[in-house]
Amino acid sequence: MTDDAKRSARQTSDSQEWYTPPHIVERVHQILGGIDFDPASCPEANKVVRAKRFLTERENGLVAPWPAEPSTVYCNPPGGLRGGKSYPVQFWARLLRYCASDRLKAGIFMGFTLDLMQTSQSAVLSVLRFPFCVPKQRLRFNTTPDGREVATRPPHANVIVLVAPFRTTEGFLPGEFEKAFRDVGDVVIPSTQGRRMGWTTFRRRVRREEQDLFGEERVPTGWGGPGPAE
């Protein structure tokens, strides 16, 4: 296994050893009302996440179609690089484009490190534009499917982000997010004006990309938004 692959395995639910902690998954289910889709997982990880549909490393959630029907999404992306670019940032950009295509009901994105708060700024809208929680204790991702923890010290501080169309993030969802995660760590909900301005600009950009790819016709069925920008 390459060094990049080892780092990726340590940072993703798509691994035989490193899983999203069950107590976090339960909060995600509480907020989303269930997880329809996980674009970066595996059969063992999904025993914890319990997504109705998931994509494996081989299926590649960065290029495979995401659900055509409106869906809830949980994404705990792999670490490392793809094409010289950060996997987490590319999955973040893909989730934003899925949201802008009016197919995302709501989603939770797991940032394995706080670096995402800086690197995600290359994706037009950073995680700082959305409600997020910084856990007061580093999360233990090295849990087994039955919830047992492996005795190693978590290496990074983390960030958990709520993503949803702007019209659904005015009040109810941020309130539910804050309620579910306030005992995990501090929850920050950006100002309404800041989120609205950033989201409007982003949607315009995505719509221009859609027209460049498909003309004025409807986006093809099963297309979950363009892949990460080159």
Side-chain angles (χ1 to χ4, degrees):
M1 180 181 287
T2 66
D3 288 342
D4 278 350
K6 289 177 181 177
R7 283 194 294 271
S8 175
R10 286 200 298 270
Q11 297 184 32
T12 179
S13 60
D14 192 5
S15 161
Q16 296 303 310
E17 297 179 326
W18 301 81
Y19 299 86
T20 303
H23 75 284
I24 298 297
V25 173
E26 293 310 313
R27 287 169 169 79
V28 172
H29 275 273
Q30 176 184 334
I31 296 164
L32 301 182
I35 299 170
D36 295 324
F37 179 62
D38 182 343
S41 192
C42 68
E44 286 299 304
N46 201 52
K47 291 179 181 179
V48 176
V49 175
R50 308 191 310 278
K52 295 176 183 177
R53 178 190 170 194
F54 63 88
L55 296 176
T56 64
E57 179 181 7
R58 176 173 295 182
E59 292 169 312
N60 193 347
L62 287 175
V63 297
W66 288 24
E69 67 278 3
S71 302
T72 57
V73 175
Y74 173 67
C75 185
N76 174 20
L81 303 174
R82 173 181 179 265
K85 297 181 180 180
S86 160
Y87 262 118
V89 172
Q90 291 185 72
F91 270 99
W92 172 253
R94 185 73 193 272
L95 179 60
L96 290 183
R97 283 168 168 76
Y98 187 65
C99 185
S101 70
D102 295 326
R103 290 172 172 80
L104 181 71
K105 291 181 179 177
I108 300 289
F109 191 92
M110 174 63 70
F112 184 73
T113 78
L114 293 181
D115 287 349
L116 183 69
M117 301 175 80
Q118 180 261 316
T119 57
S120 65
Q121 294 180 50
S122 65
V124 183
L125 288 184
S126 75
V127 301
L128 299 173
R129 294 279 192 171
F130 296 86
F132 66 89
C133 171
V134 176
K136 55 192 171 186
Q137 295 183 334
R138 295 175 178 179
L139 299 178
R140 291 185 177 272
F141 286 81
N142 51 331
T143 54
T144 61
D146 61 4
R148 291 182 292 108
E149 294 183 349
V150 180
T152 59
R153 181 180 178 183
H156 298 289
N158 325 102
V159 60
I160 304 165
V161 191
L162 170 68
V163 182
F166 179 80
R167 63 182 179 276
T168 65
T169 58
E170 297 183 87
F172 175 73
L173 273 181
E176 290 298 299
F177 182 77
E178 195 278 335
K179 185 187 304 182
F181 281 101
R182 61 190 174 195
D183 63 332
V184 174
D186 282 348
V187 175
V188 176
I189 300 177
S191 70
T192 299
Q193 181 179 6
R195 285 186 288 124
R196 184 190 299 274
M197 292 174 61
W199 188 245
T200 298
T201 300
F202 180 71
R203 280 183 60 83
R204 288 173 180 167
R205 173 173 170 175
V206 170
R207 290 307 181 190
R208 285 198 299 269
E209 291 177 352
E210 291 178 4
Q211 291 176 6
D212 289 342
L213 286 171
F214 306 112
E216 297 295 333
E217 297 180 359
R218 183 183 179 87
V219 177
T221 301
W223 185 75
E230 296 298 331

